[in-house]
Amino acid sequence: MKLLTVAHTAAVSHHMIGPFIDWRALSPFIVLIAGGLVVLLVGLFRPAVVRQRIVPTLTIATFLCALAAEIWVYHHHPHYGKGGFCLIDAPRCSSALLVMDRLSLELSMLFGIAGIAAALMSWRAVAPRESGHGEYNALIIFSVLGMVETNTTI
């Protein structure tokens, strides 16, 4: 019994410290994921006004917020002194799961602009009406998310 209390005391006295996660660097991914899910859920509403006007507007707003997050990350100077930065803090980025440089951020911004163009060109098209406005616009957002994610160095 005494051994159990000693082990419990030792476990309680040491705090478990998880890895440092740079949420600022992850913000473009989080914005696109959250925006895609919101567009998908709003597309389920019944009124035609919501599906035909609000869903494409939310899609464009998602891309604009992602562009703002990418600009915010672009000016993020790492404390490593390198051109790129680690999304998960590790010694000298050697074991980071996801590393981005400025070129990948610039391409991510280009993909966001292309997503805005795709949403604007398909605003009154036949395809969103046949497949569902929410699903169609969420597919555009998640496609851009896939391009942004593939663009980063793994």
Side-chain angles (χ1 to χ4, degrees):
M1 184 69 176
K2 190 171 189 171
L3 181 63
L4 184 63
T5 57
V6 170
H8 177 50
T9 305
V12 170
S13 65
H14 296 302
H15 292 251
M16 290 189 60
I17 300 173
F20 171 75
I21 298 174
D22 192 1
W23 293 105
R24 180 183 201 177
L26 281 174
S27 62
F29 298 107
I30 294 170
V31 166
L32 286 172
I33 291 169
L37 291 175
V38 166
V39 165
L40 195 59
L41 289 174
V42 171
L44 294 174
F45 288 134
R46 194 71 143 152
V49 173
V50 172
R51 288 182 284 117
Q52 293 174 355
R53 292 205 175 115
I54 295 177
V55 169
T57 304
L58 282 175
T59 303
I60 294 170
T62 298
F63 285 127
L64 289 175
C65 289
L67 282 172
E70 287 161 355
I71 291 170
W72 185 42
V73 171
Y74 190 80
H75 296 293
H76 177 62
H77 298 292
H79 56 275
Y80 297 116
K82 294 183 179 179
F85 57 90
C86 298
L87 290 180
I88 297 178
D89 196 15
R92 298 198 176 141
C93 295
S94 61
S95 63
L97 297 177
L98 198 57
V99 179
M100 293 177 70
D101 58 351
R102 293 197 183 264
L103 178 63
S104 64
L105 279 171
E106 290 167 358
L107 287 173
S108 298
M109 290 180 214
L110 182 68
F111 297 150
I113 292 169
I116 291 172
L120 285 174
M121 286 190 286
S122 65
W123 193 305
R124 301 210 186 264
V126 177
R129 283 184 294 220
E130 290 180 355
S131 65
H133 293 279
E135 292 88 353
Y136 183 82
N137 287 301
L139 180 66
I140 293 174
I141 293 172
F142 289 129
S143 297
V144 170
L145 175 66
M147 287 187 273
V148 168
E149 218 171 302
T150 306
N151 187 29
T152 59
T153 305
I154 297 177

